Amino acid sequence: MRTKVVSSRKFIKPSFAYLIEKKRDGGEFTQEEIRYIVDSIIDKEIPDFQLSALAMAIYFSGMSAQETAILAEEMMYSGEVVDLSRITKPKIDKYSTGGVGDKTSLVLAPLAAACGVVMPMMNGVDEEFVISNLQKLDAIPGFRAELELEEFIEQLNTVGCVTVRQDPQIAPVDTTLYAMRQETATVPSLPLITGSVLSRKLAQGSEGLVVDVKWGNGSFIRDVEQARQLARSITRVGRSMKRRCVALVTDMNQPLGDTVGTALEIREAIQLLKGEGPEDLQELVLKLGMEIVRLAGVAGSTLSAKQTVQKHLTDGSALEKFKEMITAQGGDATYIDDPDKFPKAKYVRKLPAPKRGYVHTINAGMIARGVQLLAKKDAAGSKRGSKWDHAVGVSEIKKVGAQVKQGEPLMMIHYNDEARLEAALDYLRQAYRLAPKRPTPPELIVERVA
Amino acid sequence: MRTKVVSSRKFIKPSFAYLIEKKRDGGEFTQEEIRYIVDSIIDKEIPDFQLSALAMAIYFSGMSAQETAILAEEMMYSGEVVDLSRITKPKIDKYSTGGVGDKTSLVLAPLAAACGVVMPMMNGVDEEFVISNLQKLDAIPGFRAELELEEFIEQLNTVGCVTVRQDPQIAPVDTTLYAMRQETATVPSLPLITGSVLSRKLAQGSEGLVVDVKWGNGSFIRDVEQARQLARSITRVGRSMKRRCVALVTDMNQPLGDTVGTALEIREAIQLLKGEGPEDLQELVLKLGMEIVRLAGVAGSTLSAKQTVQKHLTDGSALEKFKEMITAQGGDATYIDDPDKFPKAKYVRKLPAPKRGYVHTINAGMIARGVQLLAKKDAAGSKRGSKWDHAVGVSEIKKVGAQVKQGEPLMMIHYNDEARLEAALDYLRQAYRLAPKRPTPPELIVERVA
């Protein structure tokens, strides 16, 4: 499946130690050198300890846009590259660095399908902070996240959208490399993140990519400047790989929307699919949706992009696609028509404001951690069924800028277990800072990189 | 053998990924963290790929003098620490970063012994450039480089000097770490070199250390500023470990002395032990010898140090100790009295100067490589006996500043095989640059760091 380019001059295999030294000293790898490294990962010829030293050298010395593009391409061809050529509709994917309370991917795949854009949505590695799309969809009885590649393509062709776990045949070198990077503090390297994202997303068959790079206390990117750099890196390298790419840098210094938790978030996604729901999420869905239809060529102007997106949210066609997708993947779509079927927590209580004032800052990461403590079942509890308690979570989250009186709820906590509540409360309480003066709320969309 | 310090507060083992990240971001390790890392290497609990990523993070982020001292101490106690307390004489060791044509260690051990200073000379890892002391002594029939630790101590006690291969029980963590560093381009890290040298040398039982840091094209340190830094690092960290330390930064931009090759170098060492031989080596032996006797407290002033060293070179006592050492280690000392017993090469030819002029620069590394090609036996040739042809090498090396006519010898080449000669000539020819003007010869001793 991997095309070997025949080179006119003979490539003499260098030692791995030489390659590490070259990168350590800031050298630029040739295409053949990068191909040799990727081949050596496939063939398990490069020892782990040399690969990790190389990754750390890349962390410090960086890679040029050209090196990164070659890396992405070589990693992409390390496994299956999904052939979507029999689908005539435009194929645009979305990648997000991940955020707390983010329901946009659940909404965008059916929304895009309703607009005539195919979105081959494969979910890769779970990030630490984030409840993944698949964890959320797991709240719907019967939903299957694992499809064969053929089924995946077939559903894209018939329904127009699909949400599955990344197939193990996709970019296996990235999978190997990423697992190693998590253990060696080499995840936050711009070229390695860029190579990872592009190799996976492009192997999944898309022609273009809309990227949401989040920065803040609920993202693994804590610094807005780093987020801008990553947005530039992915779009630049993506373009050099002849793919249409656009990125938004967005705020993740508070949860998106009003809820965090699996069933609670699905309910919010259903609202969004009806053109309703919290303002921040409505805005983000609209902006990302507009980028998708424009990148796909479905809409030419900003205005027509906006109209197209809004139309399919309000006319029910996006919601219909969502139900179609769920049904196609074995899920019970009656849950979507009647969200009260989702399990409910035994108890709901407020998190009271300790004093009056304005919500000054929220630590989204701490809220995610609190919800995790409420929901994640231990080994014993997870023997049967899901590892996650779908009923629990937080709702009615007061956002930055909200005014509260002492004792008023900062959020509602849905829980099933007193001991878990106590553990979670530590984080949820600490997540809020109140202040006497109204703060300037953070800007949701910081920059557009195209 | 390793003392475990009981800490008042409990040390909670961090993940290795956390430790790598901490160092990646420039953090300073605590004593407990370094001890934990070293313990994890001993117990093989840290995976290779995390250790190598950590080494690369140290390469880029460095370590403080305090961290380096802790590392050296922990690595030192990772194995046997030789107890020389029953030897009442002062115990001073010498460490050199290694250089082409350097015979000083062969001379200094017996010289020190003659002056009443015990030098526990264990030879560690072979450097790429350098013919090691043990390779040279292998030219003497019967010489044994492997002694049990007890024999080692006994010979130090009776003869006063010994030259052996480093015992595998000495600083085993350094041995593991060094082998990994060679494969991952993490050898040239100041704190890691410093930790390596001090852990080994101090585990070998010495109270003080004289260091010869060489810089130039015949050293692995190509930059004089790096050499100065390493000299400062070793002396500073050594002192913080309560050991007397002094370092000389010396020139390695041309071979030391007139010869390169095992038997040829031993013959030159014999001259030096008689207070004769090439000027540069005489000077270096004198200067390093003076440092040794002063550090040992045998001589108080510079003048008395000089007199002590010169006396034992000219009165034959240093040479006598050399013979004693060789005899004690099973070698045939009659070779020292009659150096003509050493094997001679079948052919000797000159390397002719391609034009008239002055020797402007010499690449010592290339000369070393040339001699290696003449001498190193392949797998087949080394089945029986030595892997090295002791008869071959180069002599009468013209040094920087020497004036030559066209066709005059730049050196004499001793060889046994025409094919090997051809390969070697490529390097030997390229090693020389001639120029019409007399250059300023490089200064042999660049700096003294105490």
Side-chain angles (χ1 to χ4, degrees), chain B residues 2 14 29 45 53 138 157 196 204 216 225 329 334 361 363 382 390:
Chain B
R2 192 138 181 271
F29 286 141
E45 273 174 12
D138 184 54
N157 200 18
S196 172
Q204 291 162 21
E225 196 41 51
Q329 293 185 241
T334 62
T361 53
N363 188 317
S382 67
H390 292 301

Side-chain angles (χ1 to χ4, degrees), chain A residues 149-223:
Chain A
L149 276 181
E150 263 311 305
E151 290 179 278
F152 170 82
I153 298 169
E154 183 55 27
Q155 185 176 327
L156 273 178
N157 201 18
T158 52
V159 181
C161 60
V162 61
T163 304
V164 295
R165 198 176 307 288
Q166 183 177 296
D167 192 282
Q169 297 170 77
I170 297 295
V173 162
D174 174 66
T175 308
T176 303
L177 195 58
Y178 197 85
M180 182 276 285
R181 286 166 58 206
Q182 287 186 303
E183 299 294 316
T184 53
T186 47
V187 166
S189 150
L190 278 189
L192 292 181
I193 296 173
T194 304
S196 171
V197 170
L198 289 172
S199 67
R200 290 189 289 119
K201 285 298 180 184
L202 302 187
Q204 292 161 21
S206 65
E207 301 159 337
L209 188 60
V210 174
V211 181
D212 180 3
V213 181
K214 296 181 188 297
W215 81 276
N217 55 38
S219 166
F220 74 90
I221 306 161
R222 300 301 176 92
D223 176 83

Side-chain angles (χ1 to χ4, degrees), chain A residues 364-436:
Chain A
M366 283 193 178
I367 293 184
R369 180 83 182 114
V371 170
Q372 209 171 47
L373 287 171
L374 289 178
K376 208 171 183 178
K377 292 179 186 166
D378 50 26
S382 68
K383 264 183 202 154
R384 300 189 51 202
S386 169
K387 290 177 187 166
W388 193 269
D389 184 343
H390 291 303
V392 304
V394 298
S395 66
E396 296 169 55
I397 299 169
K398 286 279 194 323
K399 309 292 277 281
V400 171
Q403 192 176 16
V404 287
K405 291 183 186 134
Q406 188 179 15
E408 261 194 326
L410 293 168
M411 55 170 58
M412 300 308 291
I413 307 172
H414 305 239
Y415 65 102
N416 276 328
D417 182 298
E418 286 289 341
R420 288 175 170 282
L421 174 70
E422 283 312 309
L425 274 174
D426 276 355
Y427 284 90
L428 298 175
R429 280 195 196 108
Q430 278 187 60
Y432 274 88
R433 288 274 173 280
L434 302 180

Side-chain angles (χ1 to χ4, degrees), chain B residues 235-296:
Chain B
T235 49
R236 187 177 168 193
V237 173
R239 272 198 311 274
S240 83
M241 294 173 77
K242 313 269 181 263
R243 298 307 203 287
R244 286 169 275 170
C245 274
V246 63
L248 300 183
V249 177
T250 67
D251 183 77
M252 186 25 70
N253 286 292
Q254 58 179 335
L256 279 163
D258 298 342
T259 61
V260 178
T262 51
L264 289 166
E265 291 198 37
I266 296 236
R267 297 176 75 136
E268 204 165 85
I270 295 166
Q271 286 184 290
L272 290 163
L273 282 159
K274 293 175 177 168
E276 297 161 7
E279 262 179 50
D280 55 351
L281 276 172
Q282 280 203 48
E283 185 189 347
L284 195 56
V285 164
L286 178 63
K287 290 289 162 63
L288 289 168
M290 285 167 66
E291 298 294 351
I292 290 166
V293 295
R294 284 179 67 191
L295 216 59

